Amino acid sequence: MNELFECELCPRNCKINRSIDTGYCKVKNEIKVAKASLHMWEEPCISGENGSGTIFFTNCNLGCVFCQNHQISHNGYGMVISVERLSEIMLELQEQGANNINLVTPTPYITFIKDALDIAKRGGLNIPIIYNSSGYENEEALKILDGYIDIYLPDIKYYDSKYGLKYSKVSDYFQKASKAILEMLRQVGVPKFDGKILKKGLMVRHLMIPGLLFDSKKVIDWVINNLPKEVYLNIMCQYTPVGDLNNYPEINRKLSRKHYETLLNYAISNGVENGFFQDFDSSTTRYIPNFDLKGV
Ligand code: SF4
C-alpha cells in the first residue's frame, strides 16, 4: 500500500509515511472504526425498511468545527481492527439484512477498504457499496475505488473558499469537491433504483449552515449547471451546534426555518427535480449516533 508511505489520499496531501507519522487526519497505517450497525436515518432510498449497514470510520480528513460527529471525527474514538475484520463486518451487516454497506468518512482508509472489499466479495458480499464522504477528495485517490463503489454520497459544503478556510481549514474546498463529484459521476452515473431502493449512482448532500443562505444558493446553482437532472440532491437542515463553537458565535445557533424554506424554494424554482428535504424539526441532537463500538 504505497499510498500510505507518502500519503496523498486527500487534498491535504500531507505526504507523510503513516507507518511512522500522522498527517492532518491523525489516521495511522491502520483501520479504526467507531460503530457498525443498521442505520435508519439516512435517506429513505438508502435506509429503506431494513436499514443501511453503516460503518463509521474514526477521524476525518476535513474536520469541520461544527461536525455533528465530534466524538469520532475530532476526538479519535474507535477501535483498531484488521482488514480481515473489516471484511467480516461487511458480511455481518449483509447477514443482518442491510440494504447496502455505507462507508462513512472513508477517505483516509481508501486502500484498506479496497482490500477488505476484495475479501468480502469473495466471501459473498453482494449488496451495494456506498462511499459517504465530506466531498474533500483527490480525484486520483478516488480512482483506486473505481469499480468497487456503487453509490457515491458526497457532501458539497461551501462555494466560497472563505467559509472552507474558516470552518474546515482548507482554502480549496469547492475546487476539490466539485472535481471529485464529477469523477464520482463518471464512475457510477445517475441514480438507478430497484423499487424504492437506490442501487447505483450519485446523490449529493448539502447541509445548510446558519447565515450561509447566499453561499448555499451558489452551491445549488453549481449542482443545477453541472450535474444531470437525474442526480438527487438532499438539502439538509439538521445542523445542530455541537462542540466548542465559542470562537464561531455566528454558527453557534440553530438554522433559521425561513432561510431553509427560502433555499428549498430557490432550488425548486431553478429546476431541481430530484431531491430530498428534511423535516425542520430534525435539527436536534437526537439524530446524532451514539458511538459505542457496536458491531466492531
Ligand atoms: S488522508 Fe490524512 S494523512 Fe493522507 S493526505 Fe489526507 S489528511 Fe493527510
Side-chain angles (χ1 to χ4, degrees), residues 2 29 47 66 68 112 152 194 202 214 219 240 242 278:
N2 293 334
N29 191 2
S47 284
F66 53 79
Q68 313 287 287
F112 293 116
Y152 276 107
D194 183 1
L202 172 68
F214 187 65
V219 168
T240 306
V242 291
Q278 291 182 311

Side-chain angles (χ1 to χ4, degrees), residues 25-274:
C25 66
K26 302 192 190 81
V27 178
K28 297 179 185 168
N29 191 2
E30 61 191 17
I31 308 169
K32 205 170 175 188
V33 169
K35 185 171 184 136
S37 65
L38 296 179
H39 194 41
M40 305 307 294
W41 303 330
E42 302 287 27
E43 289 80 354
C45 62
I46 295 215
S47 284
E49 289 188 359
N50 293 350
S52 178
T54 307
I55 301 175
F56 290 94
F57 290 92
T58 302
N59 294 109
C60 177
N61 64 308
L62 191 56
C64 308
V65 296
F66 53 79
C67 181
Q68 313 287 287
N69 294 339
H70 236 79
Q71 188 186 356
I72 57 172
S73 62
H74 290 260
N75 300 343
Y77 178 80
M79 190 166 97
V80 174
I81 59 171
S82 65
V83 170
E84 289 73 22
R85 178 62 197 140
L86 180 58
S87 69
E88 279 171 18
I89 289 172
M90 293 171 177
L91 290 166
E92 286 167 9
L93 289 167
Q94 176 172 273
E95 187 85 349
Q96 289 165 31
N99 284 316
N100 41 58
I101 298 298
N102 187 349
L103 308 164
V104 180
T105 332
T107 314
Y109 300 96
I110 284 175
T111 50
F112 293 116
I113 287 169
K114 180 174 180 276
D115 293 345
L117 283 170
D118 277 333
I119 300 170
K121 281 175 188 281
R122 284 200 295 275
L125 184 72
N126 57 17
I127 53 178
I129 309 300
I130 303 180
Y131 188 94
N132 180 343
S133 95
S134 68
Y136 194 56
E137 305 281 349
N138 263 346
E139 278 171 275
E140 289 308 310
L142 287 176
K143 286 177 185 163
I144 295 171
L145 290 176
D146 194 358
Y148 285 82
I149 302 299
D150 300 286
I151 297 167
Y152 276 107
L153 192 54
D155 295 338
I156 182 158
K157 292 178 182 290
Y158 334 94
Y159 183 88
D160 192 319
S161 54
K162 74 180 174 207
Y163 297 119
L165 203 52
K166 190 167 190 187
Y167 301 132
S168 304
K169 299 181 178 57
V170 288
S171 59
D172 54 358
Y173 176 82
F174 179 77
Q175 188 194 343
K176 296 296 183 187
S178 55
K179 279 190 183 160
I181 289 172
L182 294 176
E183 167 60 19
M184 294 173 185
L185 178 66
R186 186 195 68 76
Q187 287 186 24
V188 299
V190 298
K192 302 266 186 314
F193 292 84
D194 183 1
K196 292 181 178 170
I197 300 297
L198 183 60
K199 292 291 176 184
K200 192 171 170 70
L202 172 68
M203 182 154 77
V204 178
R205 288 172 165 173
H206 174 64
L207 172 68
M208 202 178 180
I209 298 169
L212 269 62
L213 174 60
F214 187 65
D215 197 67
S216 287
K217 285 181 176 177
K218 288 185 175 174
V219 168
I220 304 289
D221 288 344
W222 182 84
V223 170
I224 291 168
N225 293 327
N226 292 277
L227 300 179
K229 271 184 188 278
E230 295 91 335
V231 170
Y232 274 64
L233 172 65
N234 184 359
I235 302 176
M236 306 167 80
C237 63
Q238 68 185 51
Y239 180 91
T240 306
V242 291
D244 181 8
L245 290 173
N246 287 337
N247 292 331
Y248 308 92
E250 73 284 4
I251 59 166
N252 196 5
R253 60 186 165 112
K254 293 251 183 171
L255 192 64
S256 144
R257 183 187 291 265
K258 196 167 158 227
H259 280 188
Y260 185 56
E261 289 171 355
T262 301
L263 187 64
L264 292 182
N265 288 333
Y266 182 83
I268 293 165
S269 61
N270 282 284
V272 172
E273 290 178 3
N274 292 310

Side-chain angles (χ1 to χ4, degrees), residues 13-24:
N13 292 328
C14 300
K15 293 183 191 284
I16 47 94
N17 180 345
R18 282 172 40 182
S19 295
I20 52 174
D21 203 356
T22 54
Y24 188 89

